[in-house]
Amino acid sequence: MMMKRSLALVGVSVGGVLALMLGGAASAAGVPAVSDGYDWTMRVNDEERTQSAILAYEVADTDDQPLNFSCEEGGNRIFAGISGNSPDLAAIALVSGDQKLRLSGTTDVDEIPYFTSQELAGGSPFIRAFAANGWLRMTADGAARDMAATANGKQAIQRFVRFCAG
């Protein structure tokens, strides 16, 4: 009798551990993995009268930057930018957690097409979700791309949001 009870307890314990592991995997399933070499980085331009900042998802020391956000310090206005996409790009879709956003904008074509979005409030639900989650999914020209941060990238996102919102 004691042996059956011990085996039953072991079965329950193993089942509980498996349930916890699977539950954790399921909740993390919607969070994209960090892409090799990419991370969110923030740079401040303090050469102007009003400081501005850029938050870019990029590979360090390269021109590989699929998305960036820019703002003026305390201005509570953020703009998304994409270089090198279609010259006809008129909108992008962003998702972070349960927050979804469609940003329209314009694409200027000089040497390389550059998309600039409409203004986005620094305290918007999407920006708050992005800062909390540390990742987003962007869809532009029908192609989706996940952009997840490392621990340092998450700190850069949060600093950028504080810088922009004031």
Side-chain angles (χ1 to χ4, degrees):
M1 181 75 163
M2 186 66 149
M3 180 66 130
K4 285 183 182 179
R5 182 174 286 177
S6 295
L7 287 175
L9 287 174
V10 168
V12 169
S13 296
V14 170
V17 168
L18 285 174
L20 285 173
M21 288 171 52
L22 292 174
S27 67
V31 177
V34 174
S35 297
D36 284 341
Y38 285 91
D39 205 0
W40 289 98
T41 57
M42 178 182 167
R43 289 183 292 283
V44 175
N45 177 3
D46 56 4
E47 296 174 7
E48 307 270 329
R49 193 178 92 232
T50 303
Q51 286 190 334
S52 61
I54 188 166
L55 176 71
Y57 189 69
E58 63 188 0
V59 174
D61 302 321
T62 71
D63 291 336
D64 191 351
Q65 186 186 92
L67 177 66
N68 68 66
F69 293 102
S70 60
C71 73
E72 289 184 350
E73 185 175 21
N76 203 35
R77 298 172 13 169
I78 297 174
F79 300 89
I82 304 170
S83 182
N85 267 23
S86 164
D88 299 329
L89 184 63
I92 60 174
L94 302 174
V95 175
S96 187
D98 63 354
Q99 291 298 312
K100 297 177 183 179
L101 179 67
R102 183 180 184 282
L103 284 174
S104 60
T106 58
T107 299
D108 292 325
V109 181
D110 237 347
E111 292 177 26
I112 297 174
Y114 189 83
F115 171 84
T116 304
S117 77
Q118 68 189 31
E119 176 181 313
L120 171 63
S124 71
F126 174 80
I127 291 296
R128 287 194 314 264
F130 174 46
N133 296 326
W135 66 269
L136 63 77
R137 179 172 296 121
M138 175 184 72
T139 304
D141 282 336
R145 179 160 190 175
D146 292 334
M147 301 179 200
T150 65
N152 286 338
K154 287 179 184 178
Q155 290 175 0
I157 294 166
Q158 292 166 354
R159 278 193 324 271
F160 177 79
V161 171
R162 283 191 305 271
F163 180 92
C164 297

